Amino acid sequence: MGDRNNGNEPAHRRVSLALREQIAAGHFHGGRQLPTELSLAEEFAVSRQTVRRAFHDLVADGLVYRIPGRGTFVSEDASMRLRRLGHIEALTNLPSDTTTEIVAPLRRRIDIEAASRLRLDSDFVSTITYVRRHAGGVFVTTTVHLPDAHARHLSGGTEMQSGVIGSQTIIGLLEPHLASPVADLVQSITVAPAAEDIAHYLGCPTGHPLLRADRLYLDSDGQVVELAVNYYLPENYTYRITMGRSRNQKRATTDVDRNPARRRNPPDRLVP
């Protein structure tokens, strides 16, 4: 399971976020070497393996690079990227003013389309549905499809039962059990009418136009971890995107406004 802090947050994430903050604040300029795994392990009271996993997250985001036998160094444009870009942690960890409620418990079933998108050899997937609330109002329903190999880490727990209120996404609960961290996210967005069950969860009429966002999470080995299908009430949710250009590729930052009356809320941020 690895090291954890008192807030039940994976320790590698705590270390990587702390290093992100230091890089963004200019404590480590481009080309400067980061402290060694051993010194960071002592500073954060974690194992060297935990520090190594935190470094892996930073490498995946292009913030640092590693030179065998020499160490880990900050990328030249790391601070610029951090000012301009979000990161996947913003979607695996919910804002403090948002809660989840399970409305359909984890169960194994046949779903050919979901199995295909998860790149499975079998047609069986494990599926769970929950809603998210802000200020007491539901603004999105999410159906998560998991391969059996990952679903077994969550099955049997009381947190997967209907009616359970939580403060983490399914991918946030799952990631500590993964052999490799979540490194990439592929998102597609379209408009869809509310099916009867989705309309019931969101409290809107059947056929009401919704914003549909499909998110496919992949680990650092390129294996699909989770497919999450989200339906947002457009009157409660605003999707804004700002495109930026890095040295070698384009990236994007998205701001999410869960906004029943144009409430001001902390944005989710995403690097596809």
Side-chain angles (χ1 to χ4, degrees):
M1 293 288 290
D3 302 305
R4 285 180 174 269
N5 65 357
N6 294 332
N8 205 37
E9 182 181 43
H12 77 277
R13 185 172 296 153
R14 175 166 52 94
V15 175
S16 67
L17 288 176
L19 292 174
R20 288 173 191 274
E21 291 174 358
Q22 293 180 34
I23 293 172
H27 297 308
F28 298 106
H29 297 291
R32 182 175 174 182
Q33 184 175 4
L34 289 178
T36 64
E37 290 179 1
L38 179 59
S39 62
L40 288 173
E42 293 175 349
E43 177 182 348
F44 289 95
V46 297
S47 66
R48 292 184 64 178
Q49 178 62 32
T50 295
V51 175
R52 193 170 299 122
R53 187 169 179 182
F55 279 165
H56 196 292
D57 290 350
L58 299 178
V59 170
D61 284 346
L63 302 178
V64 304
Y65 58 93
R66 309 197 74 176
I67 300 178
R70 291 187 55 192
T72 303
F73 299 82
V74 178
S75 300
E76 293 294 336
D77 60 351
S79 60
M80 181 184 300
R81 289 190 182 200
L82 281 173
R83 287 194 299 270
R84 191 169 59 200
L85 304 176
H87 46 82
I88 289 174
E89 282 86 348
L91 292 180
T92 59
N93 296 310
L94 295 181
S96 59
D97 58 358
T98 302
T99 59
T100 65
E101 180 183 352
I102 304 296
V103 294
L106 186 68
R107 64 188 180 94
R108 190 170 185 260
R109 65 192 184 93
I110 293 177
D111 189 319
I112 297 174
E113 180 183 356
S116 176
R117 297 180 68 182
L118 288 168
R119 306 174 189 171
L120 302 178
D121 295 329
S122 166
D123 293 335
F124 284 94
V125 299
S126 291
T127 301
I128 187 170
T129 300
Y130 62 93
V131 297
R132 287 170 58 183
R133 286 188 172 87
H134 174 76
V138 173
F139 66 93
V140 59
T141 178
T142 300
T143 297
V144 171
H145 304 285
L146 299 169
D148 287 344
H150 297 327
R152 68 168 179 261
H153 295 300
L154 304 178
S155 62
T158 57
E159 65 223 357
M160 296 293 105
Q161 301 301 314
S162 290
V164 171
I165 306 297
S167 59
Q168 284 187 278
T169 60
I170 299 301
I171 192 67
L173 291 170
L174 180 63
E175 189 175 21
H177 301 279
L178 302 178
S180 301
V182 174
D184 291 296
L185 171 62
V186 179
Q187 178 171 253
S188 60
I189 299 174
T190 187
V191 174
E196 185 175 355
D197 58 338
I198 299 300
H200 172 71
Y201 298 144
L202 293 175
C204 66
T206 300
H208 186 72
L210 303 174
L211 181 68
R212 172 173 170 165
D214 292 11
R215 293 168 181 159
L216 198 66
Y217 294 86
L218 298 92
D219 65 20
S220 56
D221 296 321
Q223 300 298 310
V224 179
V225 173
E226 173 189 301
L227 169 63
V229 180
N230 306 272
Y231 289 96
Y232 292 90
L233 281 168
E235 54 266 47
N236 294 356
Y237 181 92
T238 300
Y239 186 92
R240 298 187 303 272
I241 183 167
T242 302
M243 299 299 294
R245 185 187 295 276
S246 64
R247 197 178 328 179
N248 298 316
Q249 59 184 336
K250 293 181 180 179
R251 298 223 178 187
T253 299
T254 66
D255 290 341
V256 173
D257 183 13
R258 295 167 300 283
N259 192 5
R262 291 295 175 257
R263 291 191 292 251
R264 294 183 179 179
N265 302 297
D268 294 336
R269 295 192 180 275
L270 159 71
V271 178

mmCIF file with all atom_site columns, all heavy atoms in Angstrom, residues 150-175:
data_model
loop_
_atom_site.group_PDB
_atom_site.id
_atom_site.type_symbol
_atom_site.label_atom_id
_atom_site.label_alt_id
_atom_site.label_comp_id
_atom_site.label_asym_id
_atom_site.label_entity_id
_atom_site.label_seq_id
_atom_site.pdbx_PDB_ins_code
_atom_site.Cartn_x
_atom_site.Cartn_y
_atom_site.Cartn_z
_atom_site.occupancy
_atom_site.B_iso_or_equiv
_atom_site.pdbx_formal_charge
_atom_site.auth_seq_id
_atom_site.auth_comp_id
_atom_site.auth_asym_id
_atom_site.auth_atom_id
_atom_site.pdbx_PDB_model_num
ATOM 1   N N   . HIS A 1 150 ? -8.587  -4.394 -11.346 1.00 0.00 ? 150 HIS A N   1
ATOM 2   C CA  . HIS A 1 150 ? -8.559  -3.208 -10.494 1.00 0.00 ? 150 HIS A CA  1
ATOM 3   C C   . HIS A 1 150 ? -9.764  -3.144 -9.574  1.00 0.00 ? 150 HIS A C   1
ATOM 4   O O   . HIS A 1 150 ? -9.662  -2.683 -8.430  1.00 0.00 ? 150 HIS A O   1
ATOM 5   C CB  . HIS A 1 150 ? -8.498  -1.948 -11.358 1.00 0.00 ? 150 HIS A CB  1
ATOM 6   C CG  . HIS A 1 150 ? -7.254  -1.839 -12.185 1.00 0.00 ? 150 HIS A CG  1
ATOM 7   N ND1 . HIS A 1 150 ? -6.035  -2.321 -11.757 1.00 0.00 ? 150 HIS A ND1 1
ATOM 8   C CD2 . HIS A 1 150 ? -7.036  -1.308 -13.425 1.00 0.00 ? 150 HIS A CD2 1
ATOM 9   C CE1 . HIS A 1 150 ? -5.122  -2.104 -12.700 1.00 0.00 ? 150 HIS A CE1 1
ATOM 10  N NE2 . HIS A 1 150 ? -5.709  -1.489 -13.709 1.00 0.00 ? 150 HIS A NE2 1
ATOM 11  N N   . ALA A 1 151 ? -10.900 -3.618 -10.049 1.00 0.00 ? 151 ALA A N   1
ATOM 12  C CA  . ALA A 1 151 ? -12.120 -3.555 -9.241  1.00 0.00 ? 151 ALA A CA  1
ATOM 13  C C   . ALA A 1 151 ? -11.990 -4.372 -7.959  1.00 0.00 ? 151 ALA A C   1
ATOM 14  O O   . ALA A 1 151 ? -12.575 -4.022 -6.936  1.00 0.00 ? 151 ALA A O   1
ATOM 15  C CB  . ALA A 1 151 ? -13.307 -4.052 -10.060 1.00 0.00 ? 151 ALA A CB  1
ATOM 16  N N   . ARG A 1 152 ? -11.215 -5.444 -7.994  1.00 0.00 ? 152 ARG A N   1
ATOM 17  C CA  . ARG A 1 152 ? -11.105 -6.280 -6.799  1.00 0.00 ? 152 ARG A CA  1
ATOM 18  C C   . ARG A 1 152 ? -10.457 -5.549 -5.627  1.00 0.00 ? 152 ARG A C   1
ATOM 19  O O   . ARG A 1 152 ? -10.641 -5.935 -4.468  1.00 0.00 ? 152 ARG A O   1
ATOM 20  C CB  . ARG A 1 152 ? -10.340 -7.553 -7.109  1.00 0.00 ? 152 ARG A CB  1
ATOM 21  C CG  . ARG A 1 152 ? -8.862  -7.382 -7.434  1.00 0.00 ? 152 ARG A CG  1
ATOM 22  C CD  . ARG A 1 152 ? -8.147  -8.732 -7.428  1.00 0.00 ? 152 ARG A CD  1
ATOM 23  N NE  . ARG A 1 152 ? -6.741  -8.598 -7.762  1.00 0.00 ? 152 ARG A NE  1
ATOM 24  C CZ  . ARG A 1 152 ? -6.231  -8.836 -8.961  1.00 0.00 ? 152 ARG A CZ  1
ATOM 25  N NH1 . ARG A 1 152 ? -7.038  -9.211 -9.946  1.00 0.00 ? 152 ARG A NH1 1
ATOM 26  N NH2 . ARG A 1 152 ? -4.950  -8.706 -9.192  1.00 0.00 ? 152 ARG A NH2 1
ATOM 27  N N   . HIS A 1 153 ? -9.702  -4.460 -5.922  1.00 0.00 ? 153 HIS A N   1
ATOM 28  C CA  . HIS A 1 153 ? -9.112  -3.677 -4.831  1.00 0.00 ? 153 HIS A CA  1
ATOM 29  C C   . HIS A 1 153 ? -10.179 -2.903 -4.064  1.00 0.00 ? 153 HIS A C   1
ATOM 30  O O   . HIS A 1 153 ? -9.951  -2.501 -2.920  1.00 0.00 ? 153 HIS A O   1
ATOM 31  C CB  . HIS A 1 153 ? -8.078  -2.696 -5.387  1.00 0.00 ? 153 HIS A CB  1
ATOM 32  C CG  . HIS A 1 153 ? -6.884  -3.350 -6.005  1.00 0.00 ? 153 HIS A CG  1
ATOM 33  N ND1 . HIS A 1 153 ? -6.045  -4.182 -5.301  1.00 0.00 ? 153 HIS A ND1 1
ATOM 34  C CD2 . HIS A 1 153 ? -6.389  -3.292 -7.274  1.00 0.00 ? 153 HIS A CD2 1
ATOM 35  C CE1 . HIS A 1 153 ? -5.080  -4.623 -6.110  1.00 0.00 ? 153 HIS A CE1 1
ATOM 36  N NE2 . HIS A 1 153 ? -5.270  -4.089 -7.303  1.00 0.00 ? 153 HIS A NE2 1
ATOM 37  N N   . LEU A 1 154 ? -11.326 -2.666 -4.706  1.00 0.00 ? 154 LEU A N   1
ATOM 38  C CA  . LEU A 1 154 ? -12.372 -1.860 -4.091  1.00 0.00 ? 154 LEU A CA  1
ATOM 39  C C   . LEU A 1 154 ? -13.574 -2.677 -3.651  1.00 0.00 ? 154 LEU A C   1
ATOM 40  O O   . LEU A 1 154 ? -14.383 -2.205 -2.846  1.00 0.00 ? 154 LEU A O   1
ATOM 41  C CB  . LEU A 1 154 ? -12.842 -0.781 -5.078  1.00 0.00 ? 154 LEU A CB  1
ATOM 42  C CG  . LEU A 1 154 ? -11.764 0.154  -5.637  1.00 0.00 ? 154 LEU A CG  1
ATOM 43  C CD1 . LEU A 1 154 ? -12.391 1.125  -6.635  1.00 0.00 ? 154 LEU A CD1 1
ATOM 44  C CD2 . LEU A 1 154 ? -11.063 0.907  -4.525  1.00 0.00 ? 154 LEU A CD2 1
ATOM 45  N N   . SER A 1 155 ? -13.730 -3.888 -4.185  1.00 0.00 ? 155 SER A N   1
ATOM 46  C CA  . SER A 1 155 ? -14.903 -4.692 -3.881  1.00 0.00 ? 155 SER A CA  1
ATOM 47  C C   . SER A 1 155 ? -14.884 -5.159 -2.429  1.00 0.00 ? 155 SER A C   1
ATOM 48  O O   . SER A 1 155 ? -13.825 -5.377 -1.835  1.00 0.00 ? 155 SER A O   1
ATOM 49  C CB  . SER A 1 155 ? -14.975 -5.907 -4.820  1.00 0.00 ? 155 SER A CB  1
ATOM 50  O OG  . SER A 1 155 ? -13.842 -6.730 -4.640  1.00 0.00 ? 155 SER A OG  1
ATOM 51  N N   . GLY A 1 156 ? -16.074 -5.275 -1.861  1.00 0.00 ? 156 GLY A N   1
ATOM 52  C CA  . GLY A 1 156 ? -16.187 -5.760 -0.491  1.00 0.00 ? 156 GLY A CA  1
ATOM 53  C C   . GLY A 1 156 ? -16.125 -4.677 0.561   1.00 0.00 ? 156 GLY A C   1
ATOM 54  O O   . GLY A 1 156 ? -16.480 -4.908 1.717   1.00 0.00 ? 156 GLY A O   1
ATOM 55  N N   . GLY A 1 157 ? -15.699 -3.486 0.178   1.00 0.00 ? 157 GLY A N   1
ATOM 56  C CA  . GLY A 1 157 ? -15.610 -2.397 1.142   1.00 0.00 ? 157 GLY A CA  1
ATOM 57  C C   . GLY A 1 157 ? -16.938 -1.679 1.298   1.00 0.00 ? 157 GLY A C   1
ATOM 58  O O   . GLY A 1 157 ? -17.739 -1.597 0.361   1.00 0.00 ? 157 GLY A O   1
ATOM 59  N N   . THR A 1 158 ? -17.189 -1.156 2.477   1.00 0.00 ? 158 THR A N   1
ATOM 60  C CA  . THR A 1 158 ? -18.443 -0.438 2.724   1.00 0.00 ? 158 THR A CA  1
ATOM 61  C C   . THR A 1 158 ? -18.523 0.856  1.937   1.00 0.00 ? 158 THR A C   1
ATOM 62  O O   . THR A 1 158 ? -19.612 1.370  1.681   1.00 0.00 ? 158 THR A O   1
ATOM 63  C CB  . THR A 1 158 ? -18.588 -0.126 4.220   1.00 0.00 ? 158 THR A CB  1
ATOM 64  O OG1 . THR A 1 158 ? -17.443 0.636  4.654   1.00 0.00 ? 158 THR A OG1 1
ATOM 65  C CG2 . THR A 1 158 ? -18.668 -1.409 5.037   1.00 0.00 ? 158 THR A CG2 1
ATOM 66  N N   . GLU A 1 159 ? -17.365 1.404  1.494   1.00 0.00 ? 159 GLU A N   1
ATOM 67  C CA  . GLU A 1 159 ? -17.371 2.676  0.775   1.00 0.00 ? 159 GLU A CA  1
ATOM 68  C C   . GLU A 1 159 ? -17.943 2.551  -0.623  1.00 0.00 ? 159 GLU A C   1
ATOM 69  O O   . GLU A 1 159 ? -18.197 3.549  -1.291  1.00 0.00 ? 159 GLU A O   1
ATOM 70  C CB  . GLU A 1 159 ? -15.951 3.228  0.697   1.00 0.00 ? 159 GLU A CB  1
ATOM 71  C CG  . GLU A 1 159 ? -15.013 2.369  -0.126  1.00 0.00 ? 159 GLU A CG  1
ATOM 72  C CD  . GLU A 1 159 ? -13.642 2.189  0.526   1.00 0.00 ? 159 GLU A CD  1
ATOM 73  O OE1 . GLU A 1 159 ? -13.409 2.777  1.567   1.00 0.00 ? 159 GLU A OE1 1
ATOM 74  O OE2 . GLU A 1 159 ? -12.847 1.435  -0.031  1.00 0.00 ? 159 GLU A OE2 1
ATOM 75  N N   . MET A 1 160 ? -18.168 1.310  -1.103  1.00 0.00 ? 160 MET A N   1
ATOM 76  C CA  . MET A 1 160 ? -18.707 1.085  -2.439  1.00 0.00 ? 160 MET A CA  1
ATOM 77  C C   . MET A 1 160 ? -20.198 0.792  -2.424  1.00 0.00 ? 160 MET A C   1
ATOM 78  O O   . MET A 1 160 ? -20.773 0.409  -3.436  1.00 0.00 ? 160 MET A O   1
ATOM 79  C CB  . MET A 1 160 ? -17.974 -0.082 -3.121  1.00 0.00 ? 160 MET A CB  1
ATOM 80  C CG  . MET A 1 160 ? -16.489 0.164  -3.381  1.00 0.00 ? 160 MET A CG  1
ATOM 81  S SD  . MET A 1 160 ? -16.191 1.461  -4.604  1.00 0.00 ? 160 MET A SD  1
ATOM 82  C CE  . MET A 1 160 ? -15.647 2.798  -3.518  1.00 0.00 ? 160 MET A CE  1
ATOM 83  N N   . GLN A 1 161 ? -20.866 0.964  -1.286  1.00 0.00 ? 161 GLN A N   1
ATOM 84  C CA  . GLN A 1 161 ? -22.287 0.663  -1.163  1.00 0.00 ? 161 GLN A CA  1
ATOM 85  C C   . GLN A 1 161 ? -23.147 1.892  -1.460  1.00 0.00 ? 161 GLN A C   1
ATOM 86  O O   . GLN A 1 161 ? -22.710 3.027  -1.266  1.00 0.00 ? 161 GLN A O   1
ATOM 87  C CB  . GLN A 1 161 ? -22.597 0.136  0.240   1.00 0.00 ? 161 GLN A CB  1
ATOM 88  C CG  . GLN A 1 161 ? -21.820 -1.117 0.611   1.00 0.00 ? 161 GLN A CG  1
ATOM 89  C CD  . GLN A 1 161 ? -22.084 -2.256 -0.354  1.00 0.00 ? 161 GLN A CD  1
ATOM 90  O OE1 . GLN A 1 161 ? -23.233 -2.536 -0.705  1.00 0.00 ? 161 GLN A OE1 1
ATOM 91  N NE2 . GLN A 1 161 ? -21.015 -2.922 -0.801  1.00 0.00 ? 161 GLN A NE2 1
ATOM 92  N N   . SER A 1 162 ? -24.373 1.669  -1.901  1.00 0.00 ? 162 SER A N   1
ATOM 93  C CA  . SER A 1 162 ? -25.291 2.766  -2.206  1.00 0.00 ? 162 SER A CA  1
ATOM 94  C C   . SER A 1 162 ? -25.525 3.639  -0.985  1.00 0.00 ? 162 SER A C   1
ATOM 95  O O   . SER A 1 162 ? -25.642 3.143  0.139   1.00 0.00 ? 162 SER A O   1
ATOM 96  C CB  . SER A 1 162 ? -26.639 2.212  -2.692  1.00 0.00 ? 162 SER A CB  1
ATOM 97  O OG  . SER A 1 162 ? -26.519 1.638  -3.961  1.00 0.00 ? 162 SER A OG  1
ATOM 98  N N   . GLY A 1 163 ? -25.569 4.949  -1.225  1.00 0.00 ? 163 GLY A N   1
ATOM 99  C CA  . GLY A 1 163 ? -25.846 5.900  -0.161  1.00 0.00 ? 163 GLY A CA  1
ATOM 100 C C   . GLY A 1 163 ? -24.639 6.391  0.595   1.00 0.00 ? 163 GLY A C   1
ATOM 101 O O   . GLY A 1 163 ? -24.747 7.331  1.388   1.00 0.00 ? 163 GLY A O   1
ATOM 102 N N   . VAL A 1 164 ? -23.478 5.794  0.346   1.00 0.00 ? 164 VAL A N   1
ATOM 103 C CA  . VAL A 1 164 ? -22.268 6.201  1.064   1.00 0.00 ? 164 VAL A CA  1
ATOM 104 C C   . VAL A 1 164 ? -21.801 7.566  0.564   1.00 0.00 ? 164 VAL A C   1
ATOM 105 O O   . VAL A 1 164 ? -21.693 7.798  -0.646  1.00 0.00 ? 164 VAL A O   1
ATOM 106 C CB  . VAL A 1 164 ? -21.148 5.155  0.898   1.00 0.00 ? 164 VAL A CB  1
ATOM 107 C CG1 . VAL A 1 164 ? -19.830 5.680  1.457   1.00 0.00 ? 164 VAL A CG1 1
ATOM 108 C CG2 . VAL A 1 164 ? -21.535 3.849  1.584   1.00 0.00 ? 164 VAL A CG2 1
ATOM 109 N N   . ILE A 1 165 ? -21.544 8.466  1.491   1.00 0.00 ? 165 ILE A N   1
ATOM 110 C CA  . ILE A 1 165 ? -21.037 9.796  1.169   1.00 0.00 ? 165 ILE A CA  1
ATOM 111 C C   . ILE A 1 165 ? -19.517 9.777  1.281   1.00 0.00 ? 165 ILE A C   1
ATOM 112 O O   . ILE A 1 165 ? -18.959 9.256  2.254   1.00 0.00 ? 165 ILE A O   1
ATOM 113 C CB  . ILE A 1 165 ? -21.607 10.864 2.130   1.00 0.00 ? 165 ILE A CB  1
ATOM 114 C CG1 . ILE A 1 165 ? -23.140 10.798 2.148   1.00 0.00 ? 165 ILE A CG1 1
ATOM 115 C CG2 . ILE A 1 165 ? -21.129 12.261 1.735   1.00 0.00 ? 165 ILE A CG2 1
ATOM 116 C CD1 . ILE A 1 165 ? -23.791 11.111 0.839   1.00 0.00 ? 165 ILE A CD1 1
ATOM 117 N N   . GLY A 1 166 ? -18.822 10.345 0.300   1.00 0.00 ? 166 GLY A N   1
ATOM 118 C CA  . GLY A 1 166 ? -17.370 10.340 0.304   1.00 0.00 ? 166 GLY A CA  1
ATOM 119 C C   . GLY A 1 166 ? -16.791 11.658 -0.142  1.00 0.00 ? 166 GLY A C   1
ATOM 120 O O   . GLY A 1 166 ? -17.505 12.604 -0.465  1.00 0.00 ? 166 GLY A O   1
ATOM 121 N N   . SER A 1 167 ? -15.470 11.697 -0.173  1.00 0.00 ? 167 SER A N   1
ATOM 122 C CA  . SER A 1 167 ? -14.761 12.915 -0.574  1.00 0.00 ? 167 SER A CA  1
ATOM 123 C C   . SER A 1 167 ? -13.661 12.628 -1.585  1.00 0.00 ? 167 SER A C   1
ATOM 124 O O   . SER A 1 167 ? -12.792 13.459 -1.801  1.00 0.00 ? 167 SER A O   1
ATOM 125 C CB  . SER A 1 167 ? -14.163 13.607 0.655   1.00 0.00 ? 167 SER A CB  1
ATOM 126 O OG  . SER A 1 167 ? -13.261 12.728 1.319   1.00 0.00 ? 167 SER A OG  1
ATOM 127 N N   . GLN A 1 168 ? -13.691 11.431 -2.208  1.00 0.00 ? 168 GLN A N   1
ATOM 128 C CA  . GLN A 1 168 ? -12.698 11.074 -3.212  1.00 0.00 ? 168 GLN A CA  1
ATOM 129 C C   . GLN A 1 168 ? -13.383 10.495 -4.441  1.00 0.00 ? 168 GLN A C   1
ATOM 130 O O   . GLN A 1 168 ? -14.459 9.895  -4.351  1.00 0.00 ? 168 GLN A O   1
ATOM 131 C CB  . GLN A 1 168 ? -11.711 10.039 -2.654  1.00 0.00 ? 168 GLN A CB  1
ATOM 132 C CG  . GLN A 1 168 ? -10.675 10.603 -1.695  1.00 0.00 ? 168 GLN A CG  1
ATOM 133 C CD  . GLN A 1 168 ? -9.652  9.553  -1.332  1.00 0.00 ? 168 GLN A CD  1
ATOM 134 O OE1 . GLN A 1 168 ? -9.881  8.729  -0.456  1.00 0.00 ? 168 GLN A OE1 1
ATOM 135 N NE2 . GLN A 1 168 ? -8.520  9.574  -2.003  1.00 0.00 ? 168 GLN A NE2 1
ATOM 136 N N   . THR A 1 169 ? -12.738 10.653 -5.574  1.00 0.00 ? 169 THR A N   1
ATOM 137 C CA  . THR A 1 169 ? -13.189 9.991  -6.780  1.00 0.00 ? 169 THR A CA  1
ATOM 138 C C   . THR A 1 169 ? -12.775 8.522  -6.723  1.00 0.00 ? 169 THR A C   1
ATOM 139 O O   . THR A 1 169 ? -11.946 8.126  -5.900  1.00 0.00 ? 169 THR A O   1
ATOM 140 C CB  . THR A 1 169 ? -12.581 10.643 -8.029  1.00 0.00 ? 169 THR A CB  1
ATOM 141 O OG1 . THR A 1 169 ? -11.150 10.541 -7.944  1.00 0.00 ? 169 THR A OG1 1
ATOM 142 C CG2 . THR A 1 169 ? -12.989 12.105 -8.138  1.00 0.00 ? 169 THR A CG2 1
ATOM 143 N N   . ILE A 1 170 ? -13.334 7.707  -7.616  1.00 0.00 ? 170 ILE A N   1
ATOM 144 C CA  . ILE A 1 170 ? -12.960 6.290  -7.654  1.00 0.00 ? 170 ILE A CA  1
ATOM 145 C C   . ILE A 1 170 ? -11.492 6.143  -8.034  1.00 0.00 ? 170 ILE A C   1
ATOM 146 O O   . ILE A 1 170 ? -10.763 5.339  -7.441  1.00 0.00 ? 170 ILE A O   1
ATOM 147 C CB  . ILE A 1 170 ? -13.862 5.515  -8.643  1.00 0.00 ? 170 ILE A CB  1
ATOM 148 C CG1 . ILE A 1 170 ? -15.320 5.600  -8.204  1.00 0.00 ? 170 ILE A CG1 1
ATOM 149 C CG2 . ILE A 1 170 ? -13.417 4.067  -8.746  1.00 0.00 ? 170 ILE A CG2 1
ATOM 150 C CD1 . ILE A 1 170 ? -15.602 5.051  -6.829  1.00 0.00 ? 170 ILE A CD1 1
ATOM 151 N N   . ILE A 1 171 ? -11.031 6.932  -9.003  1.00 0.00 ? 171 ILE A N   1
ATOM 152 C CA  . ILE A 1 171 ? -9.622  6.827  -9.393  1.00 0.00 ? 171 ILE A CA  1
ATOM 153 C C   . ILE A 1 171 ? -8.713  7.251  -8.243  1.00 0.00 ? 171 ILE A C   1
ATOM 154 O O   . ILE A 1 171 ? -7.631  6.708  -8.065  1.00 0.00 ? 171 ILE A O   1
ATOM 155 C CB  . ILE A 1 171 ? -9.336  7.660  -10.677 1.00 0.00 ? 171 ILE A CB  1
ATOM 156 C CG1 . ILE A 1 171 ? -7.955  7.334  -11.257 1.00 0.00 ? 171 ILE A CG1 1
ATOM 157 C CG2 . ILE A 1 171 ? -9.485  9.137  -10.418 1.00 0.00 ? 171 ILE A CG2 1
ATOM 158 C CD1 . ILE A 1 171 ? -7.830  5.947  -11.798 1.00 0.00 ? 171 ILE A CD1 1
ATOM 159 N N   . GLY A 1 172 ? -9.175  8.187  -7.432  1.00 0.00 ? 172 GLY A N   1
ATOM 160 C CA  . GLY A 1 172 ? -8.395  8.583  -6.265  1.00 0.00 ? 172 GLY A CA  1
ATOM 161 C C   . GLY A 1 172 ? -8.285  7.481  -5.245  1.00 0.00 ? 172 GLY A C   1
ATOM 162 O O   . GLY A 1 172 ? -7.239  7.310  -4.591  1.00 0.00 ? 172 GLY A O   1
ATOM 163 N N   . LEU A 1 173 ? -9.357  6.691  -5.077  1.00 0.00 ? 173 LEU A N   1
ATOM 164 C CA  . LEU A 1 173 ? -9.327  5.549  -4.170  1.00 0.00 ? 173 LEU A CA  1
ATOM 165 C C   . LEU A 1 173 ? -8.489  4.409  -4.734  1.00 0.00 ? 173 LEU A C   1
ATOM 166 O O   . LEU A 1 173 ? -7.826  3.680  -3.994  1.00 0.00 ? 173 LEU A O   1
ATOM 167 C CB  . LEU A 1 173 ? -10.751 5.049  -3.911  1.00 0.00 ? 173 LEU A CB  1
ATOM 168 C CG  . LEU A 1 173 ? -11.684 5.955  -3.098  1.00 0.00 ? 173 LEU A CG  1
ATOM 169 C CD1 . LEU A 1 173 ? -13.106 5.414  -3.162  1.00 0.00 ? 173 LEU A CD1 1
ATOM 170 C CD2 . LEU A 1 173 ? -11.206 6.053  -1.657  1.00 0.00 ? 173 LEU A CD2 1
ATOM 171 N N   . LEU A 1 174 ? -8.525  4.268  -6.050  1.00 0.00 ? 174 LEU A N   1
ATOM 172 C CA  . LEU A 1 174 ? -7.867  3.136  -6.694  1.00 0.00 ? 174 LEU A CA  1
ATOM 173 C C   . LEU A 1 174 ? -6.361  3.303  -6.834  1.00 0.00 ? 174 LEU A C   1
ATOM 174 O O   . LEU A 1 174 ? -5.596  2.337  -6.686  1.00 0.00 ? 174 LEU A O   1
ATOM 175 C CB  . LEU A 1 174 ? -8.500  2.913  -8.071  1.00 0.00 ? 174 LEU A CB  1
ATOM 176 C CG  . LEU A 1 174 ? -7.953  1.775  -8.925  1.00 0.00 ? 174 LEU A CG  1
ATOM 177 C CD1 . LEU A 1 174 ? -8.194  0.434  -8.241  1.00 0.00 ? 174 LEU A CD1 1
ATOM 178 C CD2 . LEU A 1 174 ? -8.609  1.795  -10.305 1.00 0.00 ? 174 LEU A CD2 1
ATOM 179 N N   . GLU A 1 175 ? -5.911  4.512  -7.113  1.00 0.00 ? 175 GLU A N   1
ATOM 180 C CA  . GLU A 1 175 ? -4.506  4.710  -7.479  1.00 0.00 ? 175 GLU A CA  1
ATOM 181 C C   . GLU A 1 175 ? -3.505  4.179  -6.463  1.00 0.00 ? 175 GLU A C   1
ATOM 182 O O   . GLU A 1 175 ? -2.469  3.637  -6.859  1.00 0.00 ? 175 GLU A O   1
ATOM 183 C CB  . GLU A 1 175 ? -4.226  6.182  -7.777  1.00 0.00 ? 175 GLU A CB  1
ATOM 184 C CG  . GLU A 1 175 ? -2.832  6.365  -8.367  1.00 0.00 ? 175 GLU A CG  1
ATOM 185 C CD  . GLU A 1 175 ? -2.530  7.785  -8.803  1.00 0.00 ? 175 GLU A CD  1
ATOM 186 O OE1 . GLU A 1 175 ? -3.213  8.710  -8.315  1.00 0.00 ? 175 GLU A OE1 1
ATOM 187 O OE2 . GLU A 1 175 ? -1.615  7.967  -9.611  1.00 0.00 ? 175 GLU A OE2 1
#
